[in-house]
Amino acid sequence: MQPENIIADEPAWRVPRQSSATASSTSKVIATRWRAGSGRTLEFGAETAADCHVVKIVLRTMNIRFSVSGRTVQDGVTTPGTVHVTEPALPVRCLFRGPYDVLHLHVPNTLIAECARDMPGHQAPILRSEAVPSKDIVIDWLGRALLEANPVDGSLGQTYADCISMAIVARLLASASGVGTSERSRGSKLAPWRLKRAIDYVEARLDEPVSLADVAASAGLTRMHFAAQFRAATGFRPHEYLLRRRIERAQEMLVATGMVAGGCRALGRVPNPVTLHQRFQTLRGATTARLA
C-alpha cells in the first residue's frame, strides 16, 4: 500500500485531502499544496472552515487576482515568499492567470490560542486578513523546508513537518504582536507601477541577456535605487528574481515538452549540466531527472 504524503496535493482549492492525519488534526497544522503548470486562466472559490485559519505561502511567481469577502486584496504578479492569512469562516476567490504553486497551512484556532498564551508580556495576537499580503523570506524558506517532509521515512516525517509548521505559526504570531518586524520596515518599496514595468520587461526577455541597467531603466530609476527598492518590494535581488523566473520557465517547458534543450534555452546562460541540476534542486526543490 502506498504511504500517504504528509504534504498532499489538494483535491480542490484550499480543501485538505481526507486522511488519517486530518481526522485527528484538531491540534495540529495540516499542510496542503495547490499547484499546476498549465497556462490556462482558472478561477476558484472556497470558504475557510470555522475552526481554523488558512496561511497561504506563495512558492512560485504567479499572476493572480485574490479576494476575501468580495474585497480584492491582490491583483497582479505575486512573488515567492508572499504570505497571507485568511481568518475563519470567510469566503475567498482566486483567479489564476497561468501556472501556480501555493502551500496552504490549515491552522486550528485552538492551536493559535494555545501558542498565544505562551507569549508573556503581550496580549493574544490575532492573525488577520490584511489589506495587502506581506513578504516574509524566512517563511518562504520554512515553507520550502516543509516540502521536504514527504521523503523523510516513517513517523519522523510527521514530526519534522509538525516542527516546521509550528515555526511558521510562531513567526506569524510574533509578527502580529509586533516582535521582530524592524527589518521589514527598512527601505522604501518599488512603486507598484514601476514593479509591473520591471517584471513585464523581464518576462518578455527570459531567454535573452538582461542587465540590471536595462531593467532599472524600464522602471525609470537608476541601478542603485532600483535594486534596493526592488528587493524591498519582492524580497529578492533583481538577479535572484531573474534566475528564479528562468528556472520556473524552464520547468514549465520541461514538463510540457519533455525536452531538456528547450528548458536550457529558457535558462539563458547556464554554464553546464551540473549547474543546471544544482539550480533546479536549490530553487525548485526538484531535479531535472524528476521533471523530465
Side-chain angles (χ1 to χ4, degrees), residues 76-137:
V77 174
T78 181
T79 55
T82 300
V83 181
H84 184 268
V85 178
T86 307
E87 297 168 75
L90 291 182
V92 290
R93 295 195 69 82
C94 192
L95 178 72
F96 295 92
R97 306 180 182 102
Y100 50 85
D101 194 355
V102 183
L103 184 65
H104 289 129
L105 302 186
H106 307 261
V107 186
N109 299 338
T110 53
L111 179 61
I112 294 175
E114 182 180 340
C115 291
R117 285 197 297 269
D118 294 332
M119 298 179 67
H122 296 278
Q123 292 185 343
I126 300 176
L127 301 181
R128 296 193 181 279
S129 305
E130 297 179 356
V132 179
S134 62
K135 289 285 300 185
D136 194 316
I137 299 304

Side-chain angles (χ1 to χ4, degrees), residues 33 59-60 80 101 140-141 144 147 236 239-248 251 267 276-286:
R33 193 173 184 180
L59 297 175
R60 64 154 296 153
D101 194 355
D140 176 43
W141 284 108
R144 293 178 190 281
L147 297 179
F236 301 104
H239 76 274
E240 291 173 338
Y241 176 82
L242 176 61
L243 178 57
R244 280 180 176 267
R245 284 298 299 129
R246 283 176 169 166
I247 292 287
E248 290 166 351
Q251 183 190 27
L267 282 169
L276 170 65
H277 173 90
Q278 291 173 340
R279 290 185 178 179
F280 263 101
Q281 193 169 34
T282 300
L283 295 179
R284 299 296 304 143

